Amino acid sequence: MINIVHINIHFNDERNITALELKMKAIPEEQGNRDRQHLVARVSAAFYSTTLFSDIGKTLKTTLNPKRNDVVNLFVSFEKNNLTLEDISRFIHSYQEALDNSPF
């Protein structure tokens, strides 16, 4: 199981949401697998099961944290949009559900 442990929302001067940064951490039961690339694969697969990036995504960066092998960083920037904090909240909820239900 992977849990979202950190959320950072980026805004521009007009108070529009320009990017979303998430950090996901594997629970201790997942840490038995020394190959951490499966964490990146699960995070990516769950993200693409949502429609956020296909709707308004501009760039996406998914990386394994080099100092902590059980943390995956995800950074997505958006094209000009009218996202609200409520939209981000719905996305985070659906994304966590997608992580929970990922088949890996």
Side-chain angles (χ1 to χ4, degrees):
M1 179 180 280
I2 299 172
N3 292 319
I4 298 171
V5 295
H6 179 82
I7 302 165
N8 192 9
I9 302 170
H10 298 258
F11 296 88
N12 64 10
D13 292 340
E14 290 85 36
R15 298 183 189 163
N16 295 323
I17 298 173
T18 59
L20 178 64
E21 183 178 357
L22 300 172
K23 293 182 188 287
M24 280 76 52
K25 183 176 183 192
I27 62 170
E29 289 80 11
E30 292 272 342
Q31 295 173 10
N33 187 344
R34 297 204 184 275
D35 176 23
R36 296 295 177 212
Q37 291 304 317
H38 79 285
L39 294 176
V40 176
R42 285 183 67 184
V43 165
S44 295
F47 182 78
Y48 282 112
S49 72
T50 68
T51 61
L52 182 71
F53 192 72
S54 62
D55 291 343
I56 58 171
K58 184 177 178 182
T59 62
L60 173 67
K61 183 177 180 182
T62 307
T63 57
L64 188 61
N65 187 310
K67 294 181 182 175
R68 300 177 61 196
N69 288 335
D70 60 344
V71 175
V72 177
N73 303 325
L74 184 136
F75 185 88
V76 59
S77 65
F78 305 114
E79 297 175 358
K80 191 165 183 145
N81 63 73
N82 57 353
L83 276 177
T84 64
L85 291 175
E86 186 177 336
D87 296 331
I88 295 294
S89 174
R90 281 194 298 263
F91 163 73
I92 291 169
H93 179 73
S94 66
Y95 184 53
Q96 182 63 61
E97 285 181 345
L99 285 169
D100 293 344
N101 297 324
S102 65
F104 291 84

